[in-house]
């Protein structure tokens, strides 16, 4: 049995030496001049993928007058789900409910989807905006960004028409100078009062 073990060890050592040894050059082979490298198509493909990723990183969605990235006001529930930006309906709603609520993935915010008009409200944080005006932002930044704000209901609720979409409003609620709620809402939304 020891003889078999020795034979296996010797065979493994020879195989390892064969894999790691430098092959002897073929006498008919042409040499490559020093300093010149050869490349394979595989190396080029890897370089292009790395370059593409570095120069064109994935675009992070942001809130605008129409929605959040590919998630737009008025989309049907299926269209909204197809964006892969929202999850399934949050538990607690009933099939007969007028609206369902869904988490906006990776944001801590949510969206309301109406059976009648589709995506009705998109709640957003400062991280989801290009200007930092959202939940977690300041009331001062809100007032600097939107000079046409009007107060709603109480002195801490603010609203303004969106700049490019006549069918939408931005609504904000502040407390102690901080924004505690921000949403983009469709003018015909029926998910909340």
């Amino acid at each position: 049995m020891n003889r078999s073990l020795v034979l296996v060890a010797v065979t493994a050592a020879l195989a390892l030496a064969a894999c790691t040894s430098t092959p002897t050059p073929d006498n008919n082979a042409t040499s490559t001049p020093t300093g010149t490298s050869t490349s394979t198509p595989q190396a080029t493909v890897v370089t292009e993928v790395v370059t593409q990723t570095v120069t064109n990183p994935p675009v992070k969605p942001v809130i605008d007058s129409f929605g959040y990235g590919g998630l737009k006001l008025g989309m049907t529930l299926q269209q909204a789900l197809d964006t892969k930006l929202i999850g399934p309906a949050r538990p607690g709603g009933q099939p007969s409910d007028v609206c369902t609520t869904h988490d906006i993935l990776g944001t801590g915010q949510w969206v309301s989807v109406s059976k009648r008009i589709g995506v009705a409200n998109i709640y957003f944080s400062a991280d989801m905006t290009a200007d930092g005006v959202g939940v977690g932002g300041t009331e001062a930044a809100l007032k600097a960004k939107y000079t046409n704000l009007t107060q709603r209901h109480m002195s801490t609720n603010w609203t303004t028409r969106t700049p490019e979409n006549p069918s939408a409003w931005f609504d904000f609620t502040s407390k102690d100078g901080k924004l505690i709620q921000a949403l983009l809402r469709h003018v015909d939304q029926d998910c909340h009062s």
Side-chain angles (χ1 to χ4, degrees), residues 42-52:
Q42 291 171 339
T44 303
V45 171
V46 170
T47 301
E48 288 175 10
V49 169
V50 170
T51 302
Q52 181 69 21

Side-chain angles (χ1 to χ4, degrees), residues 12 22 56 75 79 86 109 116 123 128 138 153 161-162 182 193:
T22 307
N56 296 322
M75 282 183 153
Q79 289 170 329
I86 68 169
Q109 299 297 308
R116 183 175 61 85
Y123 293 81
M128 298 167 65
T138 65
H153 307 297
R161 282 235 185 236
T162 63
S193 56

Side-chain angles (χ1 to χ4, degrees), residues 146-177:
Y146 299 102
T147 57
N148 57 345
L149 287 170
T150 56
Q151 289 180 310
R152 292 184 65 200
H153 307 297
M154 300 178 296
S155 63
T156 60
N157 290 341
W158 306 92
T159 191
T160 184
R161 282 235 185 236
T162 63
E164 294 92 22
N165 184 356
S167 296
W169 289 81
F170 283 122
D171 292 340
F172 303 93
T173 303
S174 64
K175 181 177 181 182
D176 299 326

Side-chain angles (χ1 to χ4, degrees), residues 13 25 31 37 49 56 60 65 68 79 82-83 98 107 116 118 123 125-126 128 133 140 142 159-160 164 182 187 189:
S31 63
S37 64
V49 169
N56 296 322
K60 179 183 176 242
S65 297
Y68 176 63
Q79 289 170 329
D82 288 346
T83 66
V98 173
T107 67
R116 183 175 61 85
Y123 293 81
S125 65
M128 298 167 65
V133 176
L142 169 69
T159 191
T160 184
E164 294 92 22
V187 292
Q189 72 84 25

Side-chain angles (χ1 to χ4, degrees), residues 66-86 100 102 111-122 165 186 191:
F66 298 92
Y68 176 63
L71 180 65
K72 304 296 184 192
L73 291 175
M75 282 183 153
T76 66
L77 174 57
Q78 189 57 55
Q79 289 170 329
L81 289 167
D82 288 346
T83 66
K84 307 286 190 228
L85 292 171
I86 68 169
T100 55
H102 304 258
V111 61
S112 300
V113 182
S114 163
K115 287 185 177 180
R116 183 175 61 85
I117 65 166
V119 174
N121 300 299
I122 302 173
N165 184 356
H186 191 285
C191 295

